Amino acid sequence: KQWYQRRVRVPENTGDWSDRATSIPGWNVVVYPQPGDVIAYNGLPAIVVSQNTSVTVLEGVVKESNWGFKLGHENAVVRRFVPKNIGPVSVVGPKRVRFSQRDADTASQ
């Protein structure tokens, strides 16, 4: 058997998760959130854990809240991982995502 690798572009920054126009391989934009989905609003992604509840990192601390479901977050983008046809990949892009102070300030609003 011959093995191959495909190069896949990963999100450059956390803002890509909340931009519907950004294509993230393996992650489809969906309408109805389910546990395990990523919900992102204003550049801050979170993982959906139950109805109206998500987990995110704010100021270096993992927090459970209603991020992405709050009043005013109606335009949050929800993505679901669908591993169909991805195959072996090598990651192209940043190896570490850092949250800026602006992201932390925005999340607390």
Side-chain angles (χ1 to χ4, degrees), residues 16-75:
D16 289 344
W17 288 95
S18 56
D19 181 2
R20 289 181 201 285
T22 300
S23 176
I24 301 175
W27 292 88
N28 293 346
V29 174
V30 297
V31 177
Y32 301 105
Q34 294 179 0
D37 291 347
V38 173
I39 188 165
Y41 179 77
N42 202 22
L44 182 68
I47 299 171
V48 177
V49 293
S50 64
Q51 185 176 1
N52 297 326
T53 306
S54 63
V55 172
T56 193
V57 176
L58 300 172
E59 299 174 2
V61 178
V62 176
K63 295 185 179 182
E64 186 175 296
S65 70
N66 64 344
W67 180 256
F69 299 100
K70 295 178 181 183
L71 183 64
H73 290 195
E74 292 83 7
N75 291 326

Side-chain angles (χ1 to χ4, degrees), residues 92-105:
V92 176
K95 293 182 180 178
R96 178 182 293 174
V97 176
R98 294 186 181 165
F99 291 98
S100 68
Q101 183 60 44
R102 184 188 67 77
D103 289 336
D105 293 341

